[in-house]
Amino acid sequence: GQNIDQPTEMTATEGAIVQINCTYQTSGFNGLFWYQQHAGEAPTFLSYNVLDGLEEKGRFSSFLSRSKGYSYLLLKELQMKDSASYLCAVTDSWGKFQFGAGTQVVVTP
Amino acid sequence: GAVVSQHPSWVICKSGTSVKIECRSLDFQATTMFWYRQFPKQSLMLMATSNEGSKATYEQGVEKDKFLINHASLTLSTLTVTSAHPEDSSFYICSAKTGPQGQPQHFGDGTRLSIL
C-alpha cells in the first residue's frame, strides 16, 4: 500500500517562497507527481519526479529523494493566484496513483 | 497538451434517479481512465480504474453494481450512478492517461452531483 503525508495548510505572503513537503511509503515506487487544485476545479499537472534531484519549471520546482521517501514542491515569487490546494501523488509499478490529502496554500497580500 | 472532457459539469436530480457521466480524451488515446470522488476539503478518492475493452477494477468499498463503469473505446469512459441517494452527492472527477509509465494523469473538469 501507499501512505502519503503532507501538511494540511500553509500561509505565506505575496512574493515570498513556500516549500510544501511530502513524505511517502510505497511498494513499487514509480514516480511522484505534484498537482494544483483550485477550489471547485479539477487538479492540473505541475511536475513529475522519478529520479533523485530537482526539477525546475519556472516559478515552481520539485525535489525528490527516493531513499528518504521525500519530496517537496517549492513555489517562488508567490502570487495571489497560487492560493490553491497542492496534491502530492505517488504512482506504483502498476501505474496506480495514490493522492495525498493536499496542502492548502493561502497567499496573503 | 492532453485534454480530457467531462460532462455534465453539474447535475441536480431527485433521489432514485440514475445519472450518467461521460469522460472523453479529446486529443489522445487513453488506455486507462480513472474515476475519483472528492468530498469537500478532502483528497481525491479513487473509485475505479477503467481499461478499454475490459471490466473496471473497483477499489475496496466501492459498490460495482451502484457505480457502473463502461470503457467502450480508447477515448470514452462512462460512470453511471444508479438509484442515486443524497449520500452520493459529491464531486466526481475522471482522469485519463496513455500507456507509458511516468505519464501524468490528465483530469476532466469534474461533475458536481447533488441528489435531493
Side-chain angles (χ1 to χ4, degrees), chain A residues 4-50:
Chain A
I4 301 174
D5 291 310
Q6 52 181 129
T8 305
E9 186 172 311
M10 303 182 75
T11 301
T13 54
E14 205 171 4
I17 298 173
V18 69
Q19 177 174 313
I20 307 169
N21 296 325
C22 172
T23 58
Y24 64 89
Q25 294 175 312
T26 184
S27 52
F29 176 84
N30 201 35
L32 187 144
F33 295 83
W34 284 96
Y35 285 83
Q36 179 192 62
Q37 185 178 24
H38 286 98
E41 298 181 11
T44 54
F45 168 71
L46 290 179
S47 69
Y48 169 66
N49 295 71
V50 66

Side-chain angles (χ1 to χ4, degrees), chain A residues 43-84:
Chain A
T44 54
F45 168 71
L46 290 179
S47 69
Y48 169 66
N49 295 71
V50 66
L51 300 176
D52 287 356
L54 187 69
E55 295 283 340
E56 297 187 81
K57 206 182 271 188
R59 293 189 298 113
F60 294 0
S61 303
S62 57
F63 171 84
L64 176 67
S65 169
R66 293 179 64 148
S67 61
K68 295 181 180 178
Y70 167 71
S71 173
Y72 68 72
L73 179 69
L74 195 69
L75 315 180
K76 303 176 192 173
E77 301 169 20
L78 277 175
Q79 301 175 8
M80 297 300 292
K81 66 178 182 179
D82 297 330
S83 292

Side-chain angles (χ1 to χ4, degrees), chain A residues 30 35 37 42 48 93 96-97 100, chain B residues 38 43 59 101-102 104-105 108:
Chain A
N30 201 35
Y35 285 83
Q37 185 178 24
Y48 169 66
S93 51
K96 187 172 177 178
F97 279 57
Chain B
Q38 187 177 36
S43 187
E59 294 300 300
Q101 296 285 5
Q105 293 186 22

Side-chain angles (χ1 to χ4, degrees), chain A residues 2 26-28 30-31 33 89-99, chain B residues 32 34 36 46 48-49 57-60 97 101 105:
Chain A
Q2 296 159 315
T26 184
S27 52
N30 201 35
F33 295 83
V90 172
T91 184
D92 62 21
S93 51
W94 291 272
K96 187 172 177 178
F97 279 57
Q98 180 74 38
F99 285 86
Chain B
T32 306
F34 303 88
Y36 294 87
L46 179 65
T49 303
T57 302
Y58 289 82
E59 294 300 300
Q60 194 171 9
K97 66 186 293 288
Q101 296 285 5
Q105 293 186 22

